[in-house]
Amino acid sequence: MSERTNATARVGRPLKAEQNAAAERIIDAATTLFATRGFAGTSMEQVASQCGAGKDTVYRRFPSKVALFEAVVEHAHARAVARLRDLPMAQGNALERLRTLMRELLHINMEPDLIALKRITFSEAVVFEKKRPIPPQPDPIMNRLVDAVQTAQDAGMITAGDVSLMANHLIHCLVALPTSSAMMGSAEFDTRQSVDLYFDRTWNWLYRGISIES
């Protein structure tokens, strides 16, 4: 194939990397708009304008606003998983590492964009035909938490019991409750200091229930 033919092929069919980059720009623009204007207040035309793409380009990749929003939520979840994966190894024993992991999960979930997306998913459940936000399964975040609980249990630092159940209770008390409060518009956790205060108080209360020494 001649050099001219190769150039024509590149012009006629964008490389996969270029297609992925275009989709990323659309998702980034949509994330900003959904988070600030809500689902009803965001249009595909606004997303196209925000990312500098044609409306047809947006619709080729995401056939509806619901499909685009679902892609935004999946992308946000993948980003949270990547951040968790890239965290440096926590210092200390198994219990201290579990505590550090839980604190990081809380701070990631309390970020304004994620709170806004969860609020939209909850309030627009009928539109999305879902009863509640459901992350992709199996969930790497939950898997890592279960492993951390198991490690602390194996080290004899927390009481024996159903590891998955313990992990779910930790998520509920330490992450789901404050994020739900923020989703409902409460200003109780508007600062990092208030989030850390809640975490420390709740962790100490929970630990008295699962500690070998309790």
Side-chain angles (χ1 to χ4, degrees):
M1 185 180 290
S2 68
E3 182 176 341
R4 182 175 179 179
T5 303
N6 279 327
T8 302
R10 286 196 296 272
V11 170
R13 180 177 297 175
L15 297 175
K16 186 174 182 180
E18 294 173 352
Q19 293 176 331
N20 291 341
E24 186 90 11
R25 286 194 298 272
I26 293 170
I27 288 174
D28 286 344
T31 300
T32 299
L33 289 170
F34 283 132
T36 55
R37 301 186 181 189
F39 184 80
T42 299
S43 68
M44 297 293 268
E45 290 80 4
Q46 290 169 340
V47 173
S49 176
Q50 178 86 359
C51 67
K55 187 170 69 171
D56 290 345
T57 300
V58 175
Y59 273 109
R60 270 199 305 273
R61 288 169 171 78
F62 307 100
S64 69
K65 189 165 70 167
V66 170
L68 176 56
F69 182 78
E70 290 178 340
V72 165
V73 171
E74 289 176 9
H75 184 263
H77 184 261
R79 194 169 63 234
V81 170
R83 285 183 55 188
L84 192 62
R85 183 192 61 228
D86 295 339
L87 285 173
M89 180 64 71
Q91 301 299 309
N93 59 38
L95 185 64
E96 290 166 340
R97 294 196 300 273
L98 173 61
R99 186 176 188 273
T100 298
L101 175 61
M102 290 305 313
R103 187 188 292 273
E104 291 296 334
L105 282 176
L106 174 57
H107 280 298
I108 288 173
N109 277 274
M110 289 297 290
E111 290 187 352
D113 281 358
L114 279 177
I115 292 294
L117 294 177
K118 290 176 182 178
R119 183 184 298 120
I120 293 170
T121 308
F122 179 79
S123 63
E124 302 286 347
V126 173
V127 175
F128 305 132
E129 297 182 348
K130 294 179 180 179
K131 294 182 180 178
R132 64 182 185 276
I134 303 176
Q137 296 294 330
D139 188 344
I141 291 178
M142 200 63 198
N143 290 345
R144 179 163 175 182
L145 176 56
V146 169
D147 287 344
V149 173
Q150 183 70 69
T151 300
Q153 196 177 83
D154 291 344
M157 309 197 79
I158 60 176
T159 188
D162 187 314
V163 175
S164 294
L165 186 60
M166 287 184 183
N168 275 294
H169 280 301
L170 287 173
I171 280 284
H172 177 73
C173 294
L174 291 167
V175 179
L177 289 178
T179 55
S180 295
S181 178
M183 280 170 53
M184 300 305 289
S186 171
E188 182 181 358
F189 304 106
D190 277 359
T191 67
R192 187 179 182 93
Q193 182 180 12
S194 62
V195 173
D196 282 333
L197 181 63
Y198 171 85
F199 178 88
D200 290 337
R201 183 174 62 241
T202 307
W203 172 267
N204 290 336
W205 170 68
L206 287 171
Y207 180 63
R208 285 196 294 272
I210 64 175
S211 170
I212 289 293
E213 299 173 356
S214 62

